[in-house]
Amino acid sequence: QMHLEESGGGLVQPGGSLSLSCAASGDASSSPTMAWFRQAPGEERQFVSAVRWSNSRMYYADSVKGRFTIRRDSAKNTVSLQMNSLRPEDTAVYYCAAGTPILSTLRSDSAYAYWGRGTQVTVSL
């Protein structure tokens, strides 16, 4: 079992930056991959980024590559998402997730067993 809690969302202007954090408690060894997904109103939940606990290998959606950076802190059991050069289309509720996906399912929300409640990110003037 794991409990995930996100923090750090808010309102930012286009071109600005935000940092999200996900605090994980429980048996982290049972969920070796941590990820961020997002869901905009009326749209399906979308993969953003993931990181493996074992080797810190990182994965990104094409839409955020070069702008977002995922990091893990094993000592604190946290995963952060630094978001730079934000665009209005990045507006969504961002969710932290934990699970045991294989490479082919890494970007699928069905591969993750544990989810946080989400944090709102709004990019607007």
Side-chain angles (χ1 to χ4, degrees):
Q1 287 282 351
M2 288 188 71
H3 175 73
L4 305 175
E5 186 167 353
E6 304 95 339
S7 61
L11 172 64
V12 65
Q13 293 186 352
S17 299
L18 274 178
S19 181
L20 305 182
S21 183
C22 175
S25 58
D27 185 8
S29 65
S30 66
S31 299
T33 301
M34 299 286 292
W36 288 95
F37 286 77
R38 67 187 182 187
Q39 188 168 23
E43 297 185 12
E44 293 186 354
R45 195 153 50 185
Q46 177 187 56
F47 171 79
V48 175
S49 182
V51 62
R52 304 280 199 190
W53 282 117
S54 60
N55 57 12
S56 293
R57 180 80 182 266
M58 297 171 284
Y59 305 86
Y60 296 96
D62 288 344
S63 59
V64 307
K65 202 173 292 183
R67 300 188 298 124
F68 291 11
T69 303
I70 191 169
R71 289 191 181 89
R72 69 173 181 87
D73 185 329
S74 298
K76 296 180 180 179
N77 263 7
T78 59
V79 174
S80 63
L81 185 69
Q82 176 65 41
M83 304 184 295
N84 298 327
S85 302
L86 283 161
R87 305 166 180 168
E89 54 264 39
D90 294 318
T91 295
V93 177
Y94 283 69
Y95 296 92
C96 178
T100 57
I102 58 177
L103 188 57
S104 61
T105 63
L106 192 80
R107 290 169 170 77
S108 172
D109 59 358
S110 62
Y112 294 85
Y114 303 104
W115 292 84
R117 297 173 70 175
T119 185
Q120 176 71 45
V121 171
T122 302
V123 185
S124 179
L125 291 172

